[in-house]
Amino acid sequence: MKIQKTVLGELDRAYATTIMEVNGKTKYIVASEGESQCVSYDMETHEKTVVWDGPGGTMNIVPVPGRENEFIATQKFIPTFNAAECRIVHAKADAEGRWSVVPIMTIPYLHRFDLLEIEGRLHLIGGVLCNSKQFKDDWSDPGRIIVGRFNEDITQPFELTTIHDGITKNHGFCASEWKGKKAFFVTGVEGMFVAYPPEKLEGKWQVEQLFDHEISDCALCDIDGDGKPEIATIEAFHGEKGKIYKETEDGWKVIHEHTYEFGHVVWGGKLLGKPAFIIAGRKGKMELVVYTLDDKGNFVETVVDNTGGPSNIAVAHKGDTDVILAANRQIGEIAIYELSQEA
């Protein structure tokens, strides 16, 4: 695997990432968790556009399904866990690429979320880190999983419903499929929970517990191609273990483990046509590692970088290459890594 790194720019406390189409062109979008900007870079020209100058505190950027040039993001989730005023905002680019940003509503401590359509109506599912805090390490008021249906005018506030509560350090969130259905994985001290959306507007969300030990983040990928997804995790909260689990007749077994410091990135999907996991740590060696299997079923570890300390990544296909967009938070850097096959 050939790896070509390009630094797109600097951004203090670079954190949230997404890759989306804007006016027919692919854009890399990264926002700061600090009191700083959200910026966009064109995939081809690397031209920079400022989406907003503040207030920052962005944990997530999620393109709006079924709509062009629009995303929902969080703001005011300021380090460290100072998020009582966290809010979601609607951002939209016009035909000239200029962005307008409208606050929708305050959702305290909303750490991760995703958007989905049910019978053509836009919905939010989110993981709330905790319900309140008196000080940084106060975890006495556990978080929850919330859902809500946007109004026809998606810039207007809407009602939220709790579908599961009692998740301490509710940090990890992953949208995937499970048991043949769309599913959302949420993790915390109490374990890993799977939330299934209803097929109809008036249906009920269902939640089940999959693991019962502390997990910080997770991702799914059928890395061995047997038709059943494996699960990669970071354990414990912001923890030092990157693990890959396989389901067996005797339950879930760890089939690979790697040590990190302040683990924070975990991703699953295909890179250069092969199933892969990506796991990274923000401190220490700051490794960003791709995991694949060779022809004999042995794990291959490819270190993409060990200088950035990424907080989040996004992945896109670009011709014969795949691109990893990284918010290298520890050094305030926005970078892309273009992966290609060895000649």
Side-chain angles (χ1 to χ4, degrees), residues 201-253:
L201 284 176
E202 302 310 317
K204 301 267 186 201
W205 285 78
Q206 303 296 322
V207 179
E208 66 176 358
Q209 187 166 1
L210 190 59
F211 291 173
D212 62 2
H213 62 273
E214 183 173 352
I215 298 173
S216 185
D217 296 273
C218 69
L220 281 74
C221 174
D222 179 11
I223 198 165
D224 59 9
D226 69 351
K228 298 179 181 179
E230 283 67 52
I231 297 177
T233 65
I234 291 171
E235 303 175 19
F237 181 62
H238 288 166
E240 72 283 356
K241 296 298 182 183
K243 297 182 178 181
I244 299 175
Y245 288 86
K246 182 174 182 61
E247 189 175 18
T248 71
E249 293 181 354
D250 299 321
W252 288 92
K253 304 296 184 184

Side-chain angles (χ1 to χ4, degrees), residues 109 132-136 138 140:
Y109 299 97
S132 65
K133 269 185 176 293
Q134 298 302 312
F135 49 91
K136 174 185 171 182
D138 176 18
S140 61

